[in-house]
């Protein structure tokens, strides 16, 4: 059984099963279709192909944008479970990683921090209000907290 499972894992196709998220296309569609000044909530993990920064800025010039970033705490730190197969949910690409290797863990943490910093900088540069909601948190409490923060920011 172990040999059969190993053979199946090795023979699986590594071709992408889906295309990556194109957030830029969605933002351009909003820019072209929403004519009246509006309050637009963008709810996303903001993991996308590059190129969405400019349409976000353009959309924010005409409308009021609120970026609600959903994030999963499990994506912030990889557990130390040894060798495992990791699959990209959007492309289907699979790789073997050794999660117990200290250098791998450090590199992963550095990449997560770089992605966070780049996202925060992009949203700030576009002058977009942004809120983070964890998938581990109570959704109702998170939304109420977001509303309270938004009221507080609008008064200032």
């Amino acid at each position: 059984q172990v040999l059969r499972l190993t053979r199946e894992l090795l023979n699986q196709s590594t071709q992408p099963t889906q295309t990556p998220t194109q957030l830029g296309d969605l933002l351009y569609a909003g820019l072209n279709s929403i004519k009246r000044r509006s309050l637009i909530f963008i709810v996303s993990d903001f993991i996308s192909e590059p190129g969405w920064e400019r349409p976000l800025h353009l959309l924010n010039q005409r409308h009021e944008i609120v970026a609600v970033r959903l994030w999963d705490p499990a994506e912030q730190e990889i557990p130390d479970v040894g060798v495992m197969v990791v699959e990209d949910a959007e492309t289907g690409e699979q790789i073997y990683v050794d999660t117990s290797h200290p250098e791998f863990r450090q590199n992963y943490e550095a990449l997560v921090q770089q992605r966070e910093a780049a996202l925060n900088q992009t949203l700030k540069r576009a002058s977009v209000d942004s809120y983070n909601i964890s998938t581990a948190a109570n959704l109702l409490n998170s939304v109420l907290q977001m509303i309270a923060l938004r009221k507080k920011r609008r008064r200032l």
Side-chain angles (χ1 to χ4, degrees):
Q1 286 291 60
V2 171
L3 288 174
R4 184 184 61 79
L5 289 173
T6 304
R7 195 171 37 250
E8 285 181 19
L9 283 173
L10 292 174
N11 290 332
Q12 282 186 348
S13 171
T14 58
Q15 297 291 358
T17 55
Q18 297 178 349
T19 59
T21 301
Q22 299 286 340
L23 190 55
D25 293 348
L26 297 171
L27 296 173
Y28 274 124
L31 188 61
N32 294 326
S33 64
I34 304 170
K35 301 301 179 196
R36 296 181 71 192
R37 183 158 171 74
S38 303
L39 172 62
I40 300 172
F41 287 86
I42 301 172
V43 181
S44 174
D45 60 5
F46 291 92
I47 299 173
S48 173
E49 288 293 302
W52 58 271
E53 298 83 356
R54 179 160 169 66
L56 176 69
H57 179 73
L58 294 172
L59 195 61
N60 195 45
Q61 288 179 339
R62 185 182 302 165
H63 307 284
E64 186 175 353
I65 306 296
V66 177
V68 180
R69 179 175 168 254
L70 299 177
W71 65 279
D72 187 348
E75 294 176 349
Q76 303 298 312
E77 185 178 331
I78 289 189
D80 183 356
V81 293
V83 178
M84 64 184 276
V85 176
V86 179
E87 180 176 326
D88 185 319
E90 292 186 347
T91 65
E93 179 183 7
Q94 294 181 339
I95 59 171
Y96 289 93
V97 295
D98 183 1
T99 61
S100 63
H101 195 278
E103 188 177 340
F104 172 78
R105 297 174 69 75
Q106 288 172 347
N107 290 342
Y108 183 82
E109 186 176 319
L111 285 172
V112 168
Q113 289 174 356
Q114 286 174 359
R115 187 179 73 203
E116 293 291 315
L119 175 61
N120 291 333
Q121 183 180 14
T122 298
L123 295 173
K124 188 175 184 178
R125 197 174 349 175
S127 300
V128 171
D129 274 351
S130 64
Y131 303 93
N132 293 321
I133 296 181
S134 169
T135 56
N138 180 300
L139 181 60
L140 179 61
N141 290 341
S142 296
V143 170
L144 292 174
Q145 189 176 39
M146 182 184 76
I147 292 168
L149 281 171
R150 185 151 170 82
K151 279 184 184 179
K152 188 176 181 181
R153 285 183 188 171
R154 301 223 8 131
R155 283 189 215 136
L156 299 175

